[in-house]
Amino acid sequence: MTGLDALLADVGRAFPALRLLTDPTDREGYRHDETAYMEAGLPGAVALPGSTEEVSTLLRLASTHRVAVVPRGAGTGLSGGAAGIEGALTIVLTRMNRILEIDPDNLCVVTQPGVINAELKDAVARHGLFYPPDPASYESCSIGGNLGTNAGGLCCVKYGQTRDWVLGLEVVLADGTVIRTGGRTVKDTAGYSLTHLFVGSQGTLGVITEATLRLRPLPGPRATMLAFFGSLAAAGHAVAALTRAGLVPVTLELLDHETILAVDDAHQLGLDRAAAAMLLVESDAPGTAAAAELDAAEAAILAAGGTSIVRAQDAQEADWLRQARRLALRALERQGTVRMEDVGVPRARVPDLLAAIERIAAAHGVRCATFGHAGDGNLHPNLVFDRDDPDAARLTHVVRDEIFRAALDLGGTVTAEHGIGAARREWLPIQKGEGAVAAMRAIKGALDPLGILNPGRVL
Amino acid sequence: MTGLDALLADVGRAFPALRLLTDPTDREGYRHDETAYMEAGLPGAVALPGSTEEVSTLLRLASTHRVAVVPRGAGTGLSGGAAGIEGALTIVLTRMNRILEIDPDNLCVVTQPGVINAELKDAVARHGLFYPPDPASYESCSIGGNLGTNAGGLCCVKYGQTRDWVLGLEVVLADGTVIRTGGRTVKDTAGYSLTHLFVGSQGTLGVITEATLRLRPLPGPRATMLAFFGSLAAAGHAVAALTRAGLVPVTLELLDHETILAVDDAHQLGLDRAAAAMLLVESDAPGTAAAAELDAAEAAILAAGGTSIVRAQDAQEADWLRQARRLALRALERQGTVRMEDVGVPRARVPDLLAAIERIAAAHGVRCATFGHAGDGNLHPNLVFDRDDPDAARLTHVVRDEIFRAALDLGGTVTAEHGIGAARREWLPIQKGEGAVAAMRAIKGALDPLGILNPGRVL
């Protein structure tokens, strides 16, 4: 009997009603996350627990039987962090999908990890409250996955990443111990911040079974604007000019020429197809300050070489302009296989990063469409290949490595919001240095001495 | 030869010019932080390094010779975290006091730890930039100490604590290894967030020798208002009403009756001496939004039972109103020995915490003046004793324990911004739970296996 068989037998005795998938066809659905082009293992079994107690028992038994565990949310990750490990136990948190309490007086929400980001946003909005983090997949990704990867999104430029919105967690440790790292008190400096450590650790240090998230008052409707540019450099300079003008828009997104064409081909939005780049700029400042912020942005953009500006006159038009960015990835996916990367640099280095990406893609004859969160220095270069291109994997590897090197040379990161996962492991010591990674390994060893939690991910 | 003697001999050979204090009179100045009423040890030696290299060598040799090390900034801490340990080496970072670079394009500043908070604020303000964290001691505390304790201050209610403003650190680990945890890229999810872990760890995991801090565009002048109340409960309800109204003032401070009297006695500010409580409310919203925010706050306050309102007509008057809060501690210290605590609760529980503090102090016949950051649930109850009260220490202990228990029963913390340090260690497992503290101990053991870094603090 393998360790997994023994674990399953013990689990069956402890929780006969626990949802367990053992059929290979069922398990196959948990092999990949959204990086289907990466190799991944077939889980030996998939558990869908309904309670912290069940998660705790699963981890305790996994420790007893030395079985590797992959914690997983909605499976929308882009780093292979929740992909299967051959023969391991995948623990899927999607059934723990209740919002436990919305607390307007304390500006927070207590939630289980399986709740979908958009559902949480909608639920708190009904109380006049706002949960900012908005990954592009917000309609399908889960809060647990957001916590695991420290997910970002479009409004990070103003509101930061997932980690910035977490007050406290309930976490099941590798041996099954359940701890709480914080609660509804926003200001707390007692002991080490385990909350911040677990967020972004991609299930390698524990399994998050509950979270208390900060909220803000819901801002008013956004003022929305598109700006077009004759060169990528001009768009990059406009981003820098907005920063220098002291503006903090809630959205500051860039689309390059390839992306503009793909979106316009797919959806006929009437974009300026001749433009080399486009910026989506939004303000959620209160009252008349929103229009004033866009006025200031418009002036800075035109001074930086913007060629034309489109401003939404109402909410419907704003939605329409916003679509150009929201539909970008799907539009590219219509045209072939897309390998999306996630580099970040200090925001003033965006023009340099854009130039480097263009240069690298051209040197290898690879089509690359870049869009992303220019306002915080985070760009997504998307390598687009014909579906049957036999050279795609090799070229991806070569181009990706050069783009990573370029981002690091600019003082940046190989992953701004998707996570190291399985996809970028070899780059962690190159970016952070051996000493910092040794410290991370020491922490991993301290909290997961048997190494059962998502082995081979992050570190 | 003791371990310390051997260390000093080795250090003298490696860095003959390193500033070392060995004379007992000189060392005496490093026995206490601002908790002079607590027992503390006399450092065996005090080193004032001038470079990361010197810090690294000091820690490497401290590891070799098994000498305990106390990292220390400006010594303004309120938890005994930087107080001396008998015979240990205190490493004082005040000589590493250069701002290395202000980077307006990337909205960040790179600084050494010995820079004073107010100097950093002033330096970046000259570039139109804003570093928000503002502990009450901002004119004398150092950035390194702020990082060690995750210091708070008055504007946390809007801008968060020190940890929220740190992009990256250079840290010297216990064995002398120098690591960097991040840089100028604001969005980075590569690996575990060591940055967030080291901030608030009070020198028990490493010594911070450089920090890259986030900045914001400098807001315009603040609109400032005082509101007076006939009862503490009414002031508490007003705080809750502001939250429910969706307001996020930059300052939302409370002073109780005892504090109002002490400030007015000392400085004749013309405050309402009959008032049971006072709120200081400020807005730094852009343009006319600041006055609009105070209008909304005034309406909410009057509806909640506010008895009178004073609004500043200009910057000078605003400074004058603000003084009431800034001078509170010193005014109380004129009247006796003050033991300041630092509890926090979920913000809606502020009225309950105020009531509990009043009840506990009255039950023990102890004079207590409470002020603090009501907007984020952080209150400072100050026990005021006659300077020669022989029973002060015992009463402090009893009253403090009851206040801590009350805060925890309300879902709060025994320290919102001062730190566990040496003063509150026994309360950490009570607040966080044994499992969470065991996880912290495991991390401590992983990063400081010999236990030389600030032993007996935090954990």
Side-chain angles (χ1 to χ4, degrees):
Chain A
M1 192 152 88
T2 69
L4 181 64
D5 292 335
L7 181 159
L8 295 178
D10 283 356
V11 166
R13 276 189 288 273
F15 294 105
L18 174 74
R19 187 133 181 243
L20 267 175
L21 307 179
T22 51
D23 184 273
T25 321
D26 293 339
R27 288 183 274 134
E28 189 59 43
Y30 298 89
R31 182 191 290 270
H32 291 291
D33 58 9
E34 288 282 319
T35 57
Y37 48 82
M38 282 178 59
E39 286 196 23
L42 181 66
V46 177
L48 294 106
S51 69
T52 299
E53 193 191 357
E54 288 181 356
V55 175
S56 169
T57 300
L58 284 167
L59 287 185
R60 184 171 53 74
L61 292 172
S63 282
T64 303
H65 298 293
R66 304 282 200 280
V67 173
V69 166
V70 178
R72 181 180 171 110
T76 61
L78 287 159
S79 70
I85 292 175
E86 197 69 31
L89 174 69
T90 291
I91 300 182
V92 181
L93 281 301
T94 49
R95 288 185 59 231
M96 293 181 65
N97 62 354
R98 283 182 304 129
I99 295 174
L100 300 174
E101 190 185 341
I102 297 169
D103 182 347
D105 290 339
N106 289 308
L107 293 178
C108 65
V109 56
V110 185
T111 184
Q112 290 188 319
V115 172
I116 299 302
N117 179 297
E119 288 171 7
L120 188 91
K121 272 185 198 304
D122 290 347
V124 303
R126 288 193 287 275
H127 294 260
L129 297 170
F130 178 40
Y131 175 69
D134 60 348
S137 59
Y138 73 105
E139 288 173 309
S140 52
C141 64
S142 71
I143 293 295
N146 294 174
L147 294 165
T149 57
N150 184 28
L154 275 66
C155 72
C156 296
V157 56
K158 179 161 183 173
Y159 293 117
Q161 286 181 264
T162 298
R163 186 181 284 120
D164 300 311
W165 295 88
V166 187
L167 287 174
L169 301 170
E170 179 185 80
V171 181
V172 182
L173 301 180
D175 65 359
T177 305
V178 181
I179 66 168
R180 299 190 78 91
T181 67
R184 301 185 197 197
T185 301
V186 292
K187 205 168 165 186
D188 177 15
T189 194
Y192 303 155
S193 181
L194 299 178
T195 305
H196 290 89
L197 179 66
F198 283 111
V199 175
S201 65
Q202 299 201 268
T204 63
L205 300 178
V207 178
I208 295 169
T209 47
E210 189 188 297
T212 303
L213 306 173
R214 287 174 58 211
L215 302 172
R216 277 180 62 88
L218 191 65
R222 294 182 179 183
T224 302
M225 171 170 98
L226 297 186
F228 295 90
F229 299 85
S231 72
L232 264 181
H237 294 314
V239 170
L242 294 181
T243 301
R244 273 198 303 275
L247 304 175
V248 188
V250 64
T251 316
L252 183 45
E253 296 286 310
L254 179 140
L255 279 69
D256 75 352
H257 181 65
E258 287 281 348
T259 311
I260 295 170
L261 289 188
V263 173
D264 206 58
D265 284 344
H267 303 284
Q268 288 84 42
L269 295 176
L271 304 177
D272 177 356
R273 300 176 60 94
M278 184 188 99
L279 289 179
L280 166 68
V281 190
E282 296 189 289
S283 172
D284 69 351
T288 55
E293 191 168 30
L294 286 201
D295 289 345
E298 183 169 333
I301 284 169
L302 292 177
T307 52
S308 67
I309 300 270
V310 181
R311 279 173 78 160
Q313 298 307 312
D314 53 40
Q316 204 183 338
E317 218 173 289
D319 266 348
W320 182 80
L321 297 184
R322 219 173 279 135
Q323 275 193 89
R325 171 63 183 87
R326 286 277 180 207
L327 297 169
L329 181 58
R330 302 230 180 278
L332 289 168
E333 283 173 340
R334 289 190 181 198
Q335 308 190 341
T337 303
V338 176
R339 311 282 172 100
M340 186 191 209
E341 283 306 331
D342 173 45
V343 286
V345 289
R347 68 187 86 206
R349 308 311 296 270
V350 164
D352 303 313
L353 181 61
L354 285 167
I357 293 168
E358 262 198 324
R359 180 177 41 72
I360 292 163
H364 295 280
V366 170
R367 202 176 140 210
C368 179
T370 299
F371 57 80
H373 319 296
D376 49 35
N378 177 198
L379 295 180
H380 299 303
N382 296 275
L383 309 185
V384 186
F385 295 99
D386 290 341
R387 281 185 220 291
D388 52 3
D389 186 337
D391 211 19
R394 186 191 66 80
L395 276 171
T396 300
H397 196 74
V398 171
V399 171
R400 190 186 84 142
D401 281 5
E402 290 189 24
I403 291 175
F404 283 2
R405 174 54 65 194
L408 296 187
D409 286 347
L410 293 166
T413 176
V414 300
T415 180
E417 57 179 13
H418 293 173
I420 290 287
R424 304 173 180 94
R425 275 177 73 200
E426 71 275 23
W427 283 88
L428 188 64
I430 302 172
Q431 177 177 330
K432 296 286 182 179
E434 294 288 351
V437 174
M440 294 181 198
R441 278 189 212 287
I443 291 168
K444 165 74 175 175
L447 295 183
D448 179 20
L450 302 175
I452 63 161
L453 285 170
N454 219 1
R457 273 74 194 262
V458 183
L459 293 171
Chain B
M1 192 152 87
T2 69
L4 181 64
D5 292 335
L7 181 157
L8 295 178
D10 284 355
V11 165
R13 274 187 290 273
F15 293 105
L18 175 73
R19 186 134 182 243
L20 267 175
L21 307 179
T22 51
D23 184 274
T25 321
D26 293 339
R27 289 183 274 134
E28 189 60 43
Y30 297 90
R31 183 191 288 272
H32 292 290
D33 58 8
E34 288 283 319
T35 56
Y37 47 82
M38 282 178 60
E39 287 196 21
L42 180 65
V46 176
L48 294 107
S51 69
T52 300
E53 194 191 359
E54 288 181 355
V55 176
S56 170
T57 300
L58 285 167
L59 287 185
R60 184 172 53 74
L61 292 173
S63 282
T64 304
H65 298 292
R66 303 284 199 279
V67 173
V69 166
V70 178
R72 180 180 172 112
T76 60
L78 287 158
S79 70
I85 293 176
E86 196 69 31
L89 173 69
T90 291
I91 300 182
V92 181
L93 282 300
T94 48
R95 288 186 59 230
M96 292 180 68
N97 62 353
R98 283 182 305 129
I99 296 174
L100 300 174
E101 189 186 341
I102 297 169
D103 182 347
D105 290 339
N106 290 308
L107 293 177
C108 64
V109 56
V110 185
T111 184
Q112 290 189 320
V115 173
I116 300 300
N117 178 297
E119 287 172 7
L120 188 90
K121 273 187 198 302
D122 289 347
V124 304
R126 287 193 286 276
H127 294 261
L129 297 170
F130 179 41
Y131 175 68
D134 59 347
S137 58
Y138 74 106
E139 287 172 312
S140 52
C141 62
S142 70
I143 293 295
N146 294 175
L147 293 165
T149 56
N150 183 29
L154 275 66
C155 72
C156 295
V157 57
K158 180 162 184 173
Y159 292 117
Q161 286 180 265
T162 299
R163 186 182 283 120
D164 300 311
W165 295 89
V166 188
L167 287 174
L169 301 170
E170 179 185 81
V171 181
V172 183
L173 301 180
D175 65 359
T177 306
V178 181
I179 66 169
R180 298 191 80 90
T181 68
R184 300 185 198 198
T185 300
V186 293
K187 206 168 163 185
D188 177 13
T189 192
Y192 304 155
S193 181
L194 298 178
T195 305
H196 290 87
L197 179 66
F198 283 111
V199 175
S201 64
Q202 298 200 268
T204 63
L205 300 178
V207 178
I208 295 169
T209 46
E210 188 189 297
T212 303
L213 306 173
R214 287 174 58 211
L215 302 172
R216 277 179 62 86
L218 191 65
R222 295 182 178 183
T224 302
M225 172 170 101
L226 297 186
F228 295 90
F229 299 85
S231 71
L232 265 181
H237 293 315
V239 171
L242 294 182
T243 302
R244 274 198 301 276
L247 303 175
V248 188
V250 66
T251 316
L252 183 46
E253 296 286 310
L254 180 140
L255 278 70
D256 75 352
H257 180 65
E258 287 281 347
T259 312
I260 295 170
L261 289 188
V263 173
D264 206 57
D265 284 345
H267 303 284
Q268 290 82 41
L269 295 177
L271 303 177
D272 177 356
R273 298 177 60 95
M278 184 187 98
L279 290 179
L280 167 68
V281 189
E282 294 190 289
S283 173
D284 69 352
T288 55
E293 191 168 29
L294 286 200
D295 289 345
E298 182 169 334
I301 283 168
L302 293 176
T307 52
S308 66
I309 301 270
V310 182
R311 279 171 81 157
Q313 298 308 311
D314 54 40
Q316 203 183 338
E317 218 174 289
D319 266 348
W320 183 81
L321 297 184
R322 220 174 278 137
Q323 276 194 90
R325 169 64 184 87
R326 287 274 180 210
L327 298 169
L329 180 59
R330 302 235 177 276
L332 290 169
E333 283 172 340
R334 289 191 181 198
Q335 309 193 340
T337 303
V338 176
R339 310 281 171 102
M340 187 190 207
E341 284 306 331
D342 172 45
V343 285
V345 290
R347 68 187 84 207
R349 309 310 297 271
V350 164
D352 302 313
L353 180 61
L354 285 167
I357 292 169
E358 264 199 322
R359 179 176 43 71
I360 293 164
H364 294 280
V366 172
R367 201 175 140 211
C368 179
T370 299
F371 58 80
H373 320 295
D376 51 33
N378 178 198
L379 295 181
H380 299 303
N382 296 276
L383 308 185
V384 187
F385 295 99
D386 290 340
R387 283 186 218 288
D388 53 2
D389 185 337
D391 210 19
R394 186 192 66 81
L395 277 170
T396 300
H397 196 74
V398 171
V399 170
R400 189 186 87 142
D401 280 6
E402 290 189 25
I403 290 175
F404 282 2
R405 173 56 65 193
L408 295 187
D409 286 348
L410 293 167
T413 177
V414 300
T415 179
E417 57 179 13
H418 293 173
I420 290 288
R424 304 173 180 94
R425 274 177 73 200
E426 71 276 23
W427 283 88
L428 187 64
I430 303 172
Q431 176 176 331
K432 296 285 183 180
E434 294 289 350
V437 174
M440 293 180 200
R441 277 189 212 288
I443 292 167
K444 164 74 173 175
L447 294 184
D448 179 21
L450 302 176
I452 62 161
L453 285 170
N454 219 0
R457 274 72 195 262
V458 183
L459 292 173

